[in-house]
């Protein structure tokens, strides 16, 4: 069986009891958590910035998969790295110089770089960047909110990207984010995804450990 990374998205967790939730997660097979940073401009929702990531780093050693839904990722990535981010993923739909930002992030040590694509973005638009990326994050809902319904039309995009990566022997992994539950997880795995982000499905479950387990069966 191929190795699948399950990544709970804390956007859907209760922030007042996050410490207990993270300890619970640490007792499962999960090694990563997904941290959504939204600026109310790139997406119509606001979350938090580096200061919260810094305090989260005090209470857990889990790998921090930071998803930047901000207009100016070049302005925030370094501080996020300094406070404990392990993956920095920014959006292709921003006006930033993508190759430059990828190079800047990769010029520092101990960090992975990801590029996220919203549903309307075609794989062709990022093809030249694939050799330089650790991760491509395919949004399987419109970015901005947890708890949305998975867009099944994204399956063919995952398949297309898997084909290109395999054909060219690129190192880059495929991450999916949005509407992942036990039914959609299997569709994404079969299409070629390696990393599954899941928020609402895990955190609205009565038993988060069982919900996590159900994603890899
Ligand atoms: C949405 C975020 C996701 C979100 C996924 O813009 O990027 O990470 O938390 O949540 P669910 O699994 O609830 O769709
Ligand atoms: Zn996300």
């Amino acid at each position: 069986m191929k190795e699948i990374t399950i990544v709970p998205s804390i956007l859907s967790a209760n922030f007042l009891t996050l410490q207990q939730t993270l300890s619970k997660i640490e007792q499962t097979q999960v090694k990563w958590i997904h941290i959504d940073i939204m600026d109310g401009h790139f997406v119509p929702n606001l979350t938090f910035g580096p200061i919260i990531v810094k305090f989260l780093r005090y209470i857990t050693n889990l790998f921090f998969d930071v998803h930047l839904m901000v207009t100016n990722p070049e302005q925030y990535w370094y501080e996020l790295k300094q406070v404990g981010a392990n993956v920095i993923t920014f959006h292709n739909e921003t006006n930033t110089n993508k190759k430059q930002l990828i190079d800047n992030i990769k010029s520092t040590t101990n960090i992975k770089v990801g590029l996220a694509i919203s549903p309307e973005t075609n794989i062709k638009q990022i093809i030249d960047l694939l050799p330089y990326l650790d991760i491509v994050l395919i949004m399987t809902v419109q970015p901005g909110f947890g708890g949305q319904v998975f867009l099944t039309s994204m399956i063919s995009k995952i398949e297309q990207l898997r084909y290109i990566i395999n054909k060219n022997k690129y190192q880059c992994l495929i991450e999916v984010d949005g509407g992942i539950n036990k039914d959609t997880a299997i569709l994404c795995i079969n299409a070629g995804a390696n990393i599954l982000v899941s928020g609402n499905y895990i955190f609205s479950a009565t038993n988060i450990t069982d919900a996590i387990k159900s994603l890899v069966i």
Side-chain angles (χ1 to χ4, degrees), residues 77 102-109:
W77 76 269
I102 292 167
D103 288 347
N104 288 348
I105 297 174
K106 289 182 77 144
S107 69
T108 65
T109 51

Side-chain angles (χ1 to χ4, degrees), residues 9 11 34 36 38 67 69 139 143-147 177-179 198-200:
S9 172
L11 184 65
H34 186 81
D36 288 307
M38 306 187 191
H67 178 190
M69 280 161 278
M139 288 300 308
F145 298 92
D177 184 12
S198 179
N200 190 56

